[in-house]
């Protein structure tokens, strides 16, 4: 038992503390959303989520558990609490999901460690075999700045840079809350290689091989990694930049895996292209927080707003839930970014974006909601949480 009053410690796009009760409340709110979309009689579902503790992976796990009563194994890399030092948000999110699953008789097993390593793959394979037998679905939702290749020992470092040309664009300085022009120099070949080494498909391929070799993919199993494309506005820094190059590699890898899965277990591998949402990963990308602030305002006003849990409910309901046939684009991808990229939303973005300045950004965008959403990732500014009272820091996952 270790209790403390936990306060936010935020610098720019980083917060070094997390509130256990606030994180639990966020998870419970997501569970409620997923439960309203519950599917009875859909049959048992067994799901492995790689990157299961925050953002899209957490939402996928919650959707699987709360909509279908799925048994889940979650893999993530989080810091547990120690003494009076709080754990990371993903640790508390997982503890909250684990509690829900246990109370509702659902299998919930966790592996906390480096998903890129052989050791964690081995542990996961053992846990999937012992707790689930096989899996019907693998969700791959890792976001990380670096990866060490488990065979060569080489550590790849990702960079968020344009390719070929210097990028000059509008961004928000999250510490000073001013609109700036950001200049990002083009990546070196090393930077491109490093980013593809981290966020490309190499590790996805290794996971797929490990699961297939161990006979853990059930007949018809699906493997779904996540990608992002976004509007032309962010292409120089995202889709046409280093991270986009990595995503192309991930998408090509998914296609190659798809071929193998079809013949081995009559399964499928397909990328889901999701919409831009507030997560720890997206907060770190230049331009994107300002873009999301504007996007959220416009999508809310048009009744189109979706958080990760709404996207994941839609992913299951319309594409990958039991009995559903995924609707794919010409590149064999699921498109959950359809509402974001729809004509009316992007036309409004295009007309407002050039007019945004330090003086008017709060009026033109939903920046205050972005800021609150960012803090909520760490369990702060969540309604109903008694922040001035000590809270238990230890939790069971
Ligand atoms: P996130 O930062 O919220 O989650 C990342 C997850 O990866 C966490 O569970 C974390 O513990 C885990 N992780 C990181 N490094 C790990 C490691 N070495 N070993 C084990 N686990 C590790 O990120 P997110 O924004 O939800 O992104 C998840 C995926 O969704 C990414 O592929 C991202 O590109 C994609 N995506 C994100 C957005 C967006 O706007 N956030 C949009 C479309 C697609």
């Amino acid at each position: 038992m270790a209790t403390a009053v936990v306060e936010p410690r935020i610098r720019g796009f980083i917060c070094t503390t997390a509130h256990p009760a606030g994180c639990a409340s966020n998870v419970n709110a997501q569970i409620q959303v997923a439960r309203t979309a519950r599917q009875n009689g859909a049959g048992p579902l067994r799901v492995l989520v790689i990157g299961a503790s925050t953002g899209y992976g957490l939402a996928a796990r919650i959707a699987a558990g709360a909509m279908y009563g799925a048994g889940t194994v979650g893999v993530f890399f989080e810091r547990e609490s120690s003494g009076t030092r709080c754990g990371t948000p993903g640790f508390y999110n997982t503890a909250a999901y684990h509690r829900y699953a246990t109370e509702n008789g659902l299998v919930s097993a966790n592996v906390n460690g480096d998903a890129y390593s052989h050791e964690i793959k081995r542990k996961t394979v053992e846990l999937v075999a012992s707790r689930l037998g096989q899996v019907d679905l693998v969700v791959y939702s890792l976001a990380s700045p670096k990866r060490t290749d488990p065979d060569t020992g080489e550590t790849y470092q990702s960079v968020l840079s344009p390719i070929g040309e210097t990028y000059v664009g509008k961004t928000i300085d999250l510490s000073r809350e001013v609109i700036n022009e950001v200049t990002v120099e083009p990546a070196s070949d090393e930077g491109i290689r490093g980013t593809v080494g981290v966020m490309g498909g190499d590790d996805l391929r290794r996971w797929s091989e490990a699961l297939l070799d161990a006979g853990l993919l059930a007949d018809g199993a699906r493997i779904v990694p996540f990608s992002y494309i976004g509007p032309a506005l962010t292409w120089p820094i995202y889709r046409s930049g280093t991270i986009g190059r990595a995503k192309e590699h991930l998408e090509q890898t998914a296609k190659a895996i798809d071929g193998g899965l079809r013949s081995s277990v009559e399964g499928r591998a397909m990328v889901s292209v999701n919409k831009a949402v507030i997560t720890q990963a997206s907060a770190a990308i230049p331009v994107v927080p300002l873009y999301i602030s504007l996007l959220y305002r416009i999508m809310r006003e048009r009744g189109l707003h979706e958080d990760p849990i709404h996207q994941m409910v839609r992913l299951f309901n319309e594409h990958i839930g039991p009995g559903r046939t995924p609707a794919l684009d010409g590149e064999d991808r699921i498109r959950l970014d359809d509402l974001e990229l729809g004509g009316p939303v992007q036309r409004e973005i295009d007309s407002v974006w050039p007019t945004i300045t330090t003086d008017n950004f709060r009026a033109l965008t939903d920046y205050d909601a972005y800021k609150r959403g960012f803090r909520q990732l760490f369990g702060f500014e969540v309604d109903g949480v008694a922040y001035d009272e000590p809270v238990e820091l230890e939790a069971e996952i």
Side-chain angles (χ1 to χ4, degrees):
M1 292 283 283
T3 60
V5 172
V6 186
E7 287 177 356
R9 258 187 245 139
I10 299 174
R11 285 225 341 262
F13 57 82
I14 291 170
C15 176
T16 54
T17 52
H19 198 282
C23 290
S25 185
N26 287 337
V27 168
N28 291 336
Q30 292 193 49
I31 289 170
Q32 289 317 316
V33 172
R35 278 178 74 88
T36 59
R38 199 163 41 209
Q39 304 286 314
N40 289 322
L45 188 64
R46 299 155 299 175
V47 182
L48 168 63
V49 182
I50 303 162
S53 55
T54 57
Y56 272 123
L58 170 69
R61 185 178 203 183
I62 292 172
M67 287 173 75
Y68 298 94
T72 58
V73 170
V75 184
F76 45 81
F77 207 176
E78 301 293 346
R79 193 189 67 227
E80 301 197 8
S81 63
S82 100
T84 54
R85 187 175 183 218
C86 55
T88 49
F91 169 66
Y92 292 124
N93 293 340
T94 301
Y97 178 75
H98 191 65
R99 207 160 37 239
Y100 165 77
T102 310
E103 284 168 8
N104 287 275
L106 310 179
V107 172
S108 158
N110 297 304
V111 186
N112 189 8
D114 181 7
Y116 302 130
S117 69
H118 288 318
E119 185 205 345
I120 290 300
K121 287 192 177 68
R122 253 194 315 270
K123 271 194 185 164
T124 306
V125 160
E126 282 167 22
L127 204 58
V128 167
S130 66
R131 299 298 304 277
L132 299 177
Q134 284 189 312
V135 286
D136 309 293
L137 172 66
V138 180
V139 171
Y140 186 82
S141 186
L142 295 179
S144 171
K146 61 179 198 282
R147 175 176 83 97
T148 299
D149 183 305
D151 291 323
T152 64
E154 177 178 2
T155 295
Y156 296 100
Q157 202 80 44
S158 77
V159 294
L160 294 162
S161 308
I163 293 175
E165 284 174 35
T166 300
Y167 171 70
V168 182
K170 204 176 268 193
T171 195
I172 186 155
D173 178 332
L174 294 172
S175 304
R176 296 191 299 132
E177 301 193 322
V178 293
I179 304 298
N180 271 342
E181 210 165 66
V182 63
T183 302
V184 191
E185 297 301 330
S188 62
D189 289 347
E190 192 53 28
I192 299 170
R193 185 174 165 274
T195 311
V196 173
V198 181
M199 294 296 286
D202 188 45
D203 181 64
L204 173 69
R205 179 184 54 75
R206 288 164 186 266
W207 272 104
S208 147
E209 285 168 2
L211 294 165
L212 210 47
D213 288 352
L216 295 181
L217 296 178
D219 285 345
R222 289 165 174 170
I223 298 183
V224 181
F226 294 150
S227 190
Y228 182 66
I229 294 175
L233 176 72
T234 63
W235 283 352
I237 197 75
Y238 196 95
R239 191 67 190 187
S240 315
T242 48
I243 180 77
R245 191 64 70 83
K247 288 298 187 191
E248 278 166 17
H249 188 263
L250 180 81
E251 291 172 22
Q252 291 308 320
T253 308
K255 278 190 181 168
I257 293 172
D258 188 46
L261 277 193
R262 281 176 192 244
S263 54
S264 52
V265 294
E266 292 182 25
R268 294 291 319 256
M270 59 217 149
V271 163
S272 174
V273 183
N274 302 343
K275 81 176 270 276
V277 290
I278 307 170
T279 66
Q280 293 178 62
S282 67
I285 307 174
V287 185
V288 169
L290 184 59
Y291 168 71
I292 291 180
S293 302
L294 179 56
L295 179 73
Y296 270 39
R297 202 261 292 152
I298 293 170
M299 291 189 77
R300 274 211 175 93
E301 282 174 6
R302 292 172 184 265
L304 301 174
H305 178 74
E306 288 176 306
D307 280 324
I309 189 62
H310 305 108
Q311 284 260 291
M312 293 299 99
V313 165
R314 191 143 76 89
L315 177 66
F316 279 96
N317 254 342
E318 296 177 6
H319 301 283
I320 62 167
R324 300 286 192 272
T325 304
L328 304 177
D329 70 5
E331 297 290 327
D332 279 351
R333 300 173 299 204
I334 294 166
R335 300 301 296 265
L336 297 179
D337 60 348
D338 49 351
L339 301 176
E340 171 185 359
L341 296 189
V345 170
Q346 288 303 322
R347 272 196 294 280
E348 191 172 346
I349 298 234
D350 286 342
S351 74
V352 176
W353 184 263
T355 68
I356 297 176
T357 64
T358 297
D359 294 332
N360 65 17
F361 76 91
R362 283 179 199 273
L364 293 182
T365 77
D366 216 344
Y367 174 70
D368 289 329
Y370 178 88
K371 196 168 150 183
R372 181 157 190 237
F374 178 75
R375 287 168 184 237
Q376 286 178 337
L377 297 178
F378 302 87
F380 298 108
E381 295 189 25
V382 178
D383 290 339
V385 176
Y387 288 105
D388 44 6
E389 288 175 15
V391 63
E392 176 58 55
L393 298 181
E394 287 178 16
E396 203 177 309
I397 57 170

